[in-house]
Amino acid sequence: MTDANILLLAIAIPALTPFVVAALGNRPNLRDGASVLASFATFAAVLALLDAVIDGARPAVTLLEVMPGLVLRFEVEPLGMLFATVASGLWIATAIYSIGYMRGANEKNQTRFYICFAIAIAAALGIAFSGNLFTLFIFYEVLTVSTYPLVAHKETPEARKGARVYLAILMTTSILFLLVAVIWTWNIAGTMDFRAGGILEGKIDPAYVPFLLALFAFGISKAALMPFHRWLPAAMVAPTPVSALLHAVAVVKAGVFTMLKVGTYIFGVGFLGKTGAAEWLMWLAAASILIASIVALTKDDLKARLAYSTVSQLSYITLGVALASQMGVIGGSMHIVMHAMGKITLFMCAGAIYVAAHKTKISELDGLGRKMPITFICFAIASLSIIGLPPFGGAWSKWYLMLAAADAGQIVIIGVLMLSSLLNVAYLLPIPARAFFAPPRGQVAHSLGAAAAPVREGVEEAPLLCLIPICVTAIGCLVLFFAVGGLYEYLLSIQILPESMP
Amino acid sequence: MMALIETNLPALQVVLPLVAAPLCAMLGRGSRSWAFATIVSWLTFLIALSLFTKTFGGTIISYEMGGWAPPVGIEYRVDVLNAFVLMIVSGMAAIVLPYARRSVAAEIPAERQSFFYTAFLLCLTGLLGVTITGDAFNVFVFLEISSLSTYALVASGAWRNKRALTAAYNYLIMGTVGATFFVIGIGMLYMVTGTLNMADLAVRIAAHGDSSTVHMGFVFILIGIGLKLAMFPLHLWLPNAYSFAPSAVTAFLAATATKVAVYVMLRFMFTVFGFDYEFQAATLEMVVLPLAILAMFAASLVAIFQDDLKRMLAYSSVAQIGYILLGLTFLTDTGLTAAIIHLFNHAVTKGALFMVAGCYVLMAGTSSISSLRGVGRDMPWTTAAFVVAGFSLIGLPLTVGFVSKWYLVLAALELGWWPVALLIMASSLLAIIYVWRVVETAYLQSAPEGTVRKEAPLSMLIPTWVLVAMSIWFGINAMTTSAAASRAADMLIGSSQILWED
């Protein structure tokens, strides 16, 4: 099989899974099995592709010409490959986790859930492999639309409201800003291919560059850059597997990935650095990091706190783009991996807590660590990784981002990154700490009322299908710390400079 | 025989439905006249198709009615532009008529159905005639044929709702005023030039030069056609006419009648008055452009607050006509391409949406949005069709609506009209609101107590889905439509130089 066919296969498997899932709608075991199988098959295809890309291949497929000059085209390059590997790899974890969660929480309409989930993954892979801005925009919108039913899944008034905010913000910004930016790029550059070194240099009046960059930065609101971040907390009404994979990995990472891609291959890092057009973006991202962290401190709802933490962490990656250097791009791309691994663990833990103990508020978690030790240990590990402490993966991406800031001479940015780590400590660590060390609330109450039933002791973890993926991703956080050498080598192969003219 | 038919195709295009109409009235009761009308519409479509394939390459077919040479005789003149419109009109008839059987059977008494189909065929005749003729006065004649039969068709909604009579009467008055303006305008041109053949008019107006009579002629024609195509604020007849007409009629009219009027406008402006006519350019920019933008916003805003689905779609039509007019006022190649391609794209999309509304009227007995709660479960295919066609109305990628929007924004950016590009996008956000209101009601709210609704019959679903499929197909593969539209635009721009040859 040629690399190009594998590429198509990697997108086709999740794209065709919905049909299988729909056909097996009446047999839940087969249906969920099909989903898991598809996730493994997709990952296998992506890994095969990864091998080829590491060897220097750049497989490409042109599907069809939509309008004159506008082609649907896939082309793999290291950055997209990285995103595809993360998204498809974590799909396996979530696919298994969903079975435990959806059954444990007795959710309705599970068939629809799995259908939309697979479409969303297909769209994420489409974004990862897109060979030009046009293709990327198309899959970006597919991802928005296909995740709407997932956010609205519970069909309650809050779910409806959250989903409405979700759709409204993502659609508004993508149509009002991103599409205009795409068409503008097409109009001035006459091409939309992603090219090393960018396609805009020399074609656009430098005075317009910050403006075009703003259209992109705000148009790609999946990256949750403030002030267009409101959709992310709103989307937390979705079932937890959705929050875990989509709103910690696929959707938000699609956003920051697009940002990286636009910065590297449309503007070109060198061009951004030369014109200084990204400086405002750097400060906005820095502000976004701090403000979102502070907001996270005030949230008592566990998922809401994680959501704001995501907003803050995503801006790290935007910051990497805005620093406009190779180190920035490497730090940003690395943070895609590290944050994905950590945040998916945190979300899956939140879901496990909901399934096993029906708790959603942080203030209710006191003492729960004794009942759910594994979940909370994993939570602690992932928290440490997000904070950026060794020996967990998150340490490296922050390290490279700080290096990039130092290279750029932005001392203030280094300060921001350090302050943010402290804030991370403040909003993440109290959660496992309360769970393990605070006395359970019930006990206090019961010691007052002697007649009350005794508190049940012993371990009550979430279903095994929930627990296993959590452990795997938590261990992943640890493994990534030691595997960073290979990752760094790989990220160096992202072409930053334009190919030399023949 | 074949050769004879082939040379007389332009005449047959109009004569076939014209002769068939009285025959249809003689056939008596419902199903026979329906079958007859359907077959006629299919034949008409075949003729249009063959005319389109002949002219697609750039040939212009000139047919002399009755062998009388123009400019004295009436000339039928087919080029890529009107062949494209002929195809839209006859194609929509060929799709709507199969759909009409069940819907008409429910809305119109059996003994009147043959008259209904007669009026339908006459309307088709009129619209085709307007499009194909190269004679200015002949345009007026056919416009009246189509209008008079439309009044009858709208009024035949009275069996379902008596308000159809006032709607038809209102339309009659406005339509007649429009036709009068139009014919006065033509009279003025005749006064100046002494000819009625369009190609001849173009030459003579150019030779005669500018004068206040030509100005007046232009303004009268603009207002007359403006009424017919529901140019804001001359659109007041449209919402009532569309909401109270029988469902099949609404689907047909929404997709064709206004499109033909737009065609007449294009033809008069660019073939007769010429592309470089200064007074026209000034009028377009100072008057039509603001009105078009106003239409996009005002009509969309009104649409958001409608409870009746058909009325909501009708207001959306007024807004969409704003897009078409906007494309026209750019006076550039891309702008005209956008306007022409949107003729087709909007016809397909709005036809599908009105057909969905018709399915609701038949099966749920209502088109009121608030009583369509939960209809997504009872009528899954119909509602899915609404969602997909709704995407196209919003202009999401992979639908025809996106193609139109792309060209429109591109045209605005080419001119450097920044605010206009953003306004186009902003107004399509309003479309999201009114489309999504329906989607939410249909899927996320539970059905009112005691409603019994079944899925629409296949004879209605298939035509609806044919249009939906077209709105996807031509959104993914827009090469044919965009080639036709851009050739038509080139031809219109070039046609001020192409003189009438004898």
Side-chain angles (χ1 to χ4, degrees):
Chain A
M1 196 141 63
T2 64
D3 291 340
N5 286 341
I6 300 177
L7 196 172
L8 287 181
L9 194 68
I11 298 175
I13 297 170
L16 296 177
T17 309
F19 296 101
V20 181
V21 169
L24 297 173
N26 297 328
R27 295 191 227 163
N29 288 336
L30 278 179
R31 176 194 65 197
D32 298 355
S35 244
V36 173
L37 199 66
S39 67
F40 273 105
T42 312
F43 190 53
V46 170
L47 281 187
L49 214 52
L50 180 65
D51 265 348
V53 170
I54 290 175
D55 292 342
R58 297 288 179 267
V61 193
T62 302
L63 281 187
L64 57 101
E65 194 167 3
V66 175
M67 281 176 266
L70 302 181
V71 285
L72 268 186
R73 180 179 160 80
F74 296 120
E75 189 177 344
V76 188
E77 45 74 52
L79 196 55
M81 198 60 237
L82 181 80
F83 174 49
T85 315
V86 171
S88 63
L90 292 179
W91 184 27
I92 299 179
T94 328
I96 297 171
Y97 177 82
S98 311
I99 302 175
Y101 180 88
M102 296 303 276
R103 293 184 182 188
N106 286 320
E107 294 278 355
K108 296 174 297 177
N109 294 322
Q110 294 192 19
T111 308
R112 180 179 79 193
F113 174 86
Y114 288 109
I115 290 176
C116 294
F117 214 107
I119 300 176
I121 295 294
L125 290 178
I127 292 175
F129 293 145
S130 51
N132 55 37
L133 204 50
F134 178 69
T135 316
L136 193 147
F137 179 76
I138 288 176
F139 283 101
Y140 186 92
E141 292 293 39
V142 172
L143 186 58
T144 308
V145 173
S146 64
T147 44
Y148 170 81
L150 293 173
V151 177
H153 187 84
K154 288 183 179 152
E155 299 188 7
T156 55
E158 305 95 77
R160 253 202 321 263
K161 193 158 156 273
R164 202 183 287 161
V165 173
Y166 177 78
L167 192 78
I169 293 182
L170 288 185
M171 280 278 183
T172 307
T173 50
S174 70
I175 289 181
L176 198 56
F177 305 132
L178 182 56
L179 183 54
V180 174
V182 170
I183 301 179
W184 191 10
T185 307
W186 165 245
N187 189 24
I188 47 181
T191 174
M192 287 201 283
D193 293 344
F194 293 121
R195 259 185 232 147
I199 54 175
L200 287 172
E201 190 164 6
K203 302 239 171 80
I204 184 174
D205 182 345
Y208 285 133
V209 178
F211 195 41
L212 180 59
L213 184 69
L215 282 178
F216 272 115
F218 293 123
I220 307 168
S221 65
K222 285 197 168 83
L225 187 65
M226 283 186 168
F228 294 107
H229 65 286
R230 277 282 309 139
W231 64 268
L232 222 173
M236 289 305 138
V237 294
T240 309
V242 177
S243 311
L245 182 62
L246 298 175
H247 301 129
V249 183
V251 174
V252 293
K253 293 295 147 59
V256 286
F257 166 73
T258 309
M259 206 79 106
L260 277 168
K261 196 108 172 167
V262 167
T264 321
Y265 298 114
I266 296 292
F267 285 96
V269 170
F271 183 53
L272 276 184
K274 226 181 330 187
T275 53
E279 198 159 330
W280 67 269
L281 184 61
M282 185 181 75
W283 293 115
L284 184 65
S288 200
I289 290 174
L290 292 182
I291 297 172
S293 294
I294 292 167
V295 175
L297 274 175
T298 67
K299 296 288 169 189
D300 186 39
D301 186 274
L302 181 53
K303 279 174 82 179
R305 185 173 288 191
L306 294 180
Y308 274 100
S309 153
T310 307
V311 173
S312 150
Q313 298 286 321
L314 290 173
S315 290
Y316 278 75
I317 302 167
T318 309
L319 181 71
V321 181
L323 285 171
S325 64
Q326 184 174 28
M327 201 51 90
V329 171
I330 288 178
S333 329
M334 199 178 276
H335 202 58
I336 287 188
V337 185
M338 304 305 182
H339 174 249
M341 198 60 99
K343 200 43 82 53
I344 198 172
T345 314
L346 292 181
F347 270 113
M348 289 198 294
C349 288
I353 295 165
Y354 173 71
V355 169
H358 297 283
K359 299 265 194 288
T360 55
K361 298 248 184 296
I362 294 166
S363 51
E364 300 168 347
L365 298 182
D366 292 359
L368 205 58
R370 279 162 236 175
K371 281 188 188 174
M372 307 180 67
I374 304 179
T375 309
F376 277 100
I377 289 172
C378 293
F379 195 99
I381 292 176
S383 301
L384 292 174
S385 178
I386 298 279
I387 292 165
L389 292 179
F392 301 105
W396 287 115
S397 52
K398 293 203 175 174
W399 167 260
Y400 284 114
L401 280 172
M402 284 195 190
L403 273 185
D407 278 352
Q410 300 288 358
I411 307 300
V412 183
I413 296 294
I414 298 181
V416 166
L417 290 173
M418 287 161 75
L419 185 59
S420 161
S421 285
L422 286 179
L423 286 168
N424 292 347
V425 172
Y427 66 74
L428 280 177
L429 282 189
I431 300 167
R434 288 181 85 149
F436 282 118
F437 304 123
R441 283 203 165 174
Q443 270 180 1
V444 182
H446 291 312
S447 62
L448 295 174
V455 180
R456 284 196 294 156
E457 282 298 328
V459 173
E460 280 178 62
E461 283 282 4
L464 208 56
L465 282 177
C466 287
L467 217 50
I468 294 171
I470 295 176
C471 295
V472 171
T473 51
I475 294 168
C477 291
L478 188 64
V479 171
L480 278 175
F481 179 79
F482 298 102
V484 76
L487 185 59
Y488 181 72
E489 285 296 311
Y490 172 77
L491 289 175
L492 277 179
S493 70
I494 298 173
Q495 254 192 324
I496 300 290
L497 299 172
E499 278 159 49
S500 52
M501 289 296 160
Chain B
M1 184 62 187
M2 279 316 286
L4 191 66
I5 290 179
E6 194 162 342
T7 46
N8 288 309
L9 273 183
L12 282 173
Q13 177 82 84
V14 179
V15 171
L16 182 71
L18 183 65
V19 173
L23 289 177
C24 188
M26 282 186 257
L27 280 175
R29 296 181 74 88
S31 57
R32 256 183 301 168
S33 49
W34 166 78
F36 181 71
T38 308
I39 292 169
V40 169
S41 73
W42 287 352
L43 288 175
T44 332
F45 178 58
L46 283 183
I47 297 174
L49 208 58
S50 84
L51 284 176
F52 180 71
T53 47
K54 277 186 194 168
T55 50
F56 187 64
T59 4
I60 295 177
I61 304 173
S62 167
Y63 181 86
E64 296 164 9
M65 255 308 171
W68 293 83
V72 178
I74 292 171
E75 182 198 19
Y76 278 12
R77 196 180 172 94
V78 191
D79 55 34
V80 61
L81 172 63
N82 56 2
F84 190 60
V85 180
L86 286 174
M87 208 169 58
I88 298 174
V89 172
S90 59
M92 286 307 301
I95 293 173
V96 169
L97 273 168
Y99 167 93
R101 190 174 66 95
R102 289 289 301 269
S103 166
V104 167
E107 291 179 20
I108 290 166
E111 71 274 11
R112 302 300 177 101
Q113 284 173 16
S114 59
F115 293 123
F116 173 86
Y117 290 114
T118 306
F120 198 101
L121 284 177
L122 277 176
C123 182
L124 177 62
T125 311
L127 294 174
L128 291 171
V130 169
T131 314
I132 202 170
T133 186
D135 185 280
F137 191 76
N138 209 226
V139 169
F140 168 71
V141 172
F142 279 116
L143 209 55
E144 281 302 272
I145 293 181
S146 72
S147 302
L148 289 172
S149 46
T150 308
Y151 308 144
L153 287 173
V154 172
S156 67
W159 279 287
R160 191 171 75 90
N161 188 334
K162 281 274 179 284
R163 289 180 67 190
L165 291 177
T166 22
Y169 187 71
N170 200 343
Y171 187 14
L172 171 80
I173 302 290
M174 302 282 262
T176 311
V177 171
T180 313
F181 267 83
F182 183 64
V183 82
I184 290 175
I186 292 179
M188 288 182 168
L189 295 187
Y190 184 66
M191 217 165 88
V192 175
T193 60
T195 182
L196 286 170
N197 181 290
M198 289 185 192
D200 201 25
L201 266 174
V203 180
R204 297 207 189 182
I205 287 177
H208 172 269
D210 212 359
S211 75
S212 51
T213 321
V214 178
H215 282 187
M216 287 311 285
F218 171 74
V219 171
F220 269 96
I221 288 177
L222 178 68
I223 294 177
I225 293 297
L227 263 163
K228 287 281 175 194
L229 61 73
M231 176 166 80
F232 188 87
L234 306 174
H235 66 282
L236 293 171
W237 57 269
L238 187 139
N240 274 332
Y242 280 14
S243 16
F244 296 118
S247 309
V249 173
T250 313
F252 180 65
L253 288 182
T256 57
T258 46
K259 309 295 170 295
V260 167
V262 170
Y263 160 76
V264 175
M265 191 163 201
L266 285 170
R267 187 56 94 189
F268 268 89
M269 287 192 167
F270 301 125
T271 305
V272 173
F273 289 102
F275 196 71
D276 40 12
Y277 180 36
E278 273 174 37
F279 176 67
Q280 166 174 287
T283 316
L284 285 180
E285 194 175 329
M286 305 306 291
V287 181
V288 181
L289 175 78
L291 286 181
I293 291 177
L294 212 57
M296 282 155 39
F297 282 92
S300 301
L301 278 175
V302 176
I304 291 174
F305 296 102
Q306 298 305 315
D307 181 55
D308 185 82
L309 182 59
K310 281 170 86 173
R311 182 174 282 270
M312 181 198 96
L313 293 173
Y315 275 107
S316 139
S317 278
V318 177
Q320 299 283 327
I321 289 164
Y323 288 125
I324 300 177
L325 290 177
L326 185 66
L328 197 143
T329 57
F330 288 148
L331 285 175
T332 60
D333 198 18
T334 322
L336 277 183
T337 307
I340 295 167
I341 205 165
H342 199 50
L343 288 183
F344 173 81
N345 292 347
H346 180 243
V348 170
T349 308
K350 206 37 89 52
L353 286 170
F354 272 117
M355 281 182 168
V356 169
C359 291
Y360 286 150
V361 169
L362 181 69
M363 302 313 291
T366 176
S367 58
S368 144
I369 296 174
S370 53
S371 33
L372 286 173
R373 285 191 307 253
V375 77
R377 274 181 212 92
D378 302 332
M379 302 172 69
W381 288 99
T382 315
T383 315
F386 182 88
V387 174
V388 179
F391 285 165
S392 176
L393 197 61
I394 298 170
L396 289 187
L398 303 181
T399 63
V400 286
F402 178 73
V403 178
S404 310
K405 215 142 279 176
W406 179 276
Y407 277 111
L408 207 54
V409 174
L410 187 60
L413 289 182
E414 276 177 1
L415 286 172
W417 291 2
W418 265 99
V420 177
L422 287 176
L423 285 174
I424 294 168
M425 291 311 184
S427 75
S428 62
L429 297 177
L430 297 177
I432 300 184
I433 299 180
Y434 60 74
V435 168
W436 219 261
R437 206 164 56 98
V438 182
V439 173
E440 253 189 27
T441 323
Y443 283 106
L444 298 183
Q445 297 193 357
S446 43
E449 294 285 316
T451 38
V452 185
R453 293 179 291 214
K454 278 194 306 219
E455 184 55 276
L458 274 185
S459 70
M460 293 169 82
L461 271 186
I462 292 174
T464 310
W465 273 94
V466 166
L467 284 183
V468 170
M470 277 166 76
S471 72
I472 298 283
W473 174 257
F474 289 105
I476 295 177
N477 189 351
M479 292 305 274
T480 328
T481 46
S482 58
S486 84
R487 280 179 202 181
D490 288 346
M491 193 217 51
L492 278 178
I493 291 177
S495 69
S496 34
Q497 283 87 43
I498 296 175
L499 304 185
W500 164 71
E501 312 124 62
D502 46 354

